[in-house]
């Protein structure tokens, strides 16, 4: 499996990025399909959603990208699969929108496309809540690695549920975590 965890402090960032991309490309050649997952609570004007849905549907059909996208006034959720070239083109175009420029993208690779078709959905919510609270206004609290380490050491009953995929866990696993 591809592992982008190069821990050499003497390698400058540019060289590190080129080495990671070279390893990634070898992995892509063997695996054939690039998969991406994006999930982000952010404000999207409801009037803009049909335009975005049409734009991304046309783009994905043209580039033979399969998967699903959910676009709502409170954010976006997508899982796409395609050739590395198609997915790279999608991300380049997608991130031209300033709202999506700094968005976290989870990437993995597979031998086959995990999706048989393309679905672009427009809804009023990513996750329906029984309140009027907007998820973008109330993010979950963050915890630093030091705080997590301390919590693990001080709380023997703590259960960590690791829901990362195999590609991500190749970089390492949490001791005693549940998968």
């Amino acid at each position: 499996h591809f592992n982008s965890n190069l821990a050499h402090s003497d390698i400058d960032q540019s060289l590190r990025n080129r080495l990671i991309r070279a390893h990634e490309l070898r992995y892509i050649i063997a695996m054939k399909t690039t998969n991406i997952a994006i999930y982000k609570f952010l404000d999207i004007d409801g009037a803009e959603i049909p335009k975005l849905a049409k734009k991304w549907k046309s783009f994905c059909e043209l580039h033979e990208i399969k998967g699903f996208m959910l676009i709502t006034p409170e954010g976006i959720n997508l899982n796409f699969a395609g050739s590395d070239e198609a997915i790279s083109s999608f991300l380049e175009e997608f991130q031209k929108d300033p709202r999506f420029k700094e968005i976290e993208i989870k990437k993995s690779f597979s031998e086959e496309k995990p999706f048989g078709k393309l679905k672009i959905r427009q809804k009023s919510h990513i996750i329906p809540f029984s309140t009027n609270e907007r998820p973008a206004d109330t993010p979950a609290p963050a915890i630093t690695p030091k705080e997590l380490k301390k919590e693990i050491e001080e709380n023997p009953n703590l259960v960590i549920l690791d829901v990362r995929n195999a590609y991500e866990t190749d970089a390492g696993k949490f001791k005693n975590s549940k998968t």
Side-chain angles (χ1 to χ4, degrees), residues 2 4 21 24-25 27-28 33-38 80 83-85 87-88 91 104-110 165-168:
F2 167 72
S4 64
R21 186 64 182 154
E24 189 176 69
L25 286 172
Y27 194 76
I28 291 165
T33 299
T34 300
N35 310 292
I36 57 169
I38 297 172
F80 283 157
S83 70
D84 188 59
E85 182 180 341
I87 294 297
S88 293
L91 290 173
E104 181 182 354
I105 300 160
K106 296 189 180 223
K107 193 184 270 192
S108 64
F109 307 96
S110 59
N165 61 34
Y167 171 76
E168 295 167 315

Side-chain angles (χ1 to χ4, degrees), residues 41-44 73-75 125 127 129 131-139:
F41 287 111
L42 56 92
D43 291 325
I44 300 176
E74 62 188 24
H125 299 283
I127 302 169
F129 289 99
T131 69
N132 290 333
E133 198 170 294
R134 292 173 355 105
D137 294 338
T138 56

Side-chain angles (χ1 to χ4, degrees), residues 42-53:
L42 56 92
D43 291 325
I44 300 176
D45 182 349
E48 185 184 10
I49 290 173
K51 295 175 201 164
L52 286 173

